[in-house]
Amino acid sequence: MFEYAPAPESRSVVDLKPSYGLFIDGTFVDPTDGGSFKSINPASEEVLAEIAEAGAQDVERAVRAARKAYDKVWGPMPGRDRAKYLYRIARLIQERSRELAVLESLDNGKPIRESRDVDLPLVAAHFFYYAGWADKLPHAGFGPDPRPIGVAAQVIPWNFPLLMLAWKIAPALAAGNTVVLKPAETTPLTALLFAEICQQADLPAGVVNIVTGAGDTGRALVEHAGVDKVAFTGSTEVGRAIARSVAGTSKKLTLELGGKAANIVFDDAPIDQAVEGIVNGIFFNQGHVCCAGSRLLVQENVADRVLESLKRRMAQLRVGDPLDKNTDVGAINSAAQLERIRELSDAGSAEGAERWSPPCELPDRGFWFAPTIFTGVTQAHRIAREEIFGPVLSVLTFRTPAEAVEKANNTPYGLSAGIWTDKGSRILWMADRLRAGVVWANTFNKFDPTSPFGGYKESGYGREGGRHGLEGYLNV
Ligand code: NAP
Ligand code: MG
């Protein structure tokens, strides 16, 4: 095994303030009826900043600001002018991408290699892509004159803080809506830096409002009567509660929820590439990925070979300082999430599956979990059914393509799946039968703003990305 010298990215590119207000009507303001909370670096438990918590009156102020901006400025503005703002934001994100990437890694715990090479390029690409749609909405296939919906309430999780913001804000603004967005409690900082970028881009006041806080702030926002559209990404449990609260109102709703993807490896797959895909599928972003390939289905006759190779590869993964450019697996986002991962993994052992992790030294401070696989997993085990949302892979085997399909679909979720095989015809046969919104063939966890993303069943409804992503923000 190679030994690398530490190669930490400099954190001095980030200018952290001791405290942050709410971003309402184009300026940072103190909360009127909320309090404050701290955001920490999960890799060190160091407090990064004190963040304002929006109360119900603050949410009210933000929704009012968004309504005014929608009625007076953004709604009436021609699409070609909205596009100029979106292009400007996209360029500023590129210009400030190093700063944004470091801040994302500090607040979230993800490796700088990923925030720098995956999150930030995709965030900018999303704004560029939807900027291009802003003046072409009549050609999007939703009628000759599709109209925006109005004020969008958007609530996002902590796993891809800035990328989820981009998925929500870019299409909403391109379609002519204004937004109030609530980032997750543990990862508010890049959304607040994005607010500064909106100021830098001279985006009209009130078009984007950011209300930080926890679940109560999110609830106040989605239940607010002045909101016309609710877009949520997060757990199925909270998604259900939101669907209930929106039912019977005229609000439009899109939900992006959890997943339990099957990554299916056939015996004719190129094993080394498949192993890279398995690793990327479950250890990318510490497994905090809704579409993570958390169930490996491997054809029985190659299972030993695949597992041997996988274990050898896992032993090479470097777990540690997210700001080190050599790091493959960073910190778990919060103590609460670490506890959930531990609880489910312990259940896996208790139910009789065999647990394995490579020897790896974890830092003393912060929240860490070694890359883990479970073999001898049955479909009834909790680790095969429930979303772990961590670096934990459950391995099951199959004999025939039909059995692989049956096992892959045996889940309440339906977000994504992966197929590894040399046969194109088999890929198509499988893709037709898998109940998943996204199916990757001989690759995994690849995203592109032109491609729609979303789920079936308990993974939610509506699509984000691509032309389809506009539909949720238009009255069609
Ligand atoms: P979560 O608890 O559902 O939280 C998501 C967001 O909703 C957070 O901003 C959260 O605030 C807020 N929230 C909590 N309770 C709320 C309520 N009653 N009303 C309105 N908002 C509320 O999910 P999480 O644990 O943070 O994220 C992990 C989950 O998200 C996983 O299940 C994962 O699969 C899913 N996810 C899905 C996708 C997708 O595209 N399908 C993408 C990423 C993640 P606080 O966190 O501040 O409390
Ligand atoms: Mg944090």
Side-chain angles (χ1 to χ4, degrees), residues 155-160 164 167-168 182-186 213-220 222-223 232-239 241-242 255-259 288-291 337 340 387 389 413 415 453-455 459 464:
V155 177
I156 56 173
W158 44 261
N159 56 343
F160 293 94
M164 290 299 110
W167 282 25
K168 295 276 179 287
K182 192 201 85 71
E185 184 182 8
T186 57
D216 286 343
T217 305
R219 191 180 314 115
V222 302
E223 291 181 359
F232 173 78
T233 295
S235 60
T236 298
E237 184 191 352
V238 173
I242 291 177
L255 296 173
E256 298 278 0
L257 309 174
H288 300 329
V289 183
C290 48
C291 51
Q337 186 59 25
R340 268 195 290 263
E387 187 177 45
F389 223 60
Y413 295 109
L415 194 54
F453 181 92
S459 293
E464 293 187 307

Side-chain angles (χ1 to χ4, degrees), residues 57-71:
Q57 288 177 34
D58 300 310
V59 167
E60 168 72 32
R61 269 201 295 173
V63 172
R64 224 183 298 126
R67 172 65 56 194
K68 192 180 71 187
Y70 175 72
D71 288 341

Side-chain angles (χ1 to χ4, degrees), residues 108-111 114 282-289 328-333 341 389-392:
N108 168 282
K110 66 174 69 200
E114 292 177 6
I282 187 64
F283 302 123
F284 171 62
N285 204 33
Q286 296 73 245
H288 300 329
V289 183
D328 299 305
V329 180
I332 300 302
N333 181 252
I341 298 169
F389 223 60
V392 182

Side-chain angles (χ1 to χ4, degrees), residues 30-97:
D30 290 332
T32 43
D33 64 337
S36 70
F37 61 97
K38 293 175 172 54
S39 192
I40 65 166
N41 175 350
S44 63
E45 298 173 61
E46 161 208 6
V47 173
L48 295 170
E50 187 87 21
I51 314 291
E53 181 190 15
Q57 288 177 34
D58 300 310
V59 167
E60 168 72 32
R61 269 201 295 173
V63 172
R64 224 183 298 126
R67 172 65 56 194
K68 192 180 71 187
Y70 175 72
D71 288 341
K72 300 237 178 324
V73 194
W74 200 250
M77 188 184 286
R80 61 177 181 277
D81 291 332
R82 290 201 307 272
K84 288 179 200 162
Y85 286 104
L86 289 170
Y87 279 122
R88 205 181 286 165
I89 289 171
R91 287 193 302 269
L92 287 167
I93 288 168
Q94 284 186 320
E95 275 170 35
R96 300 181 70 173
S97 67

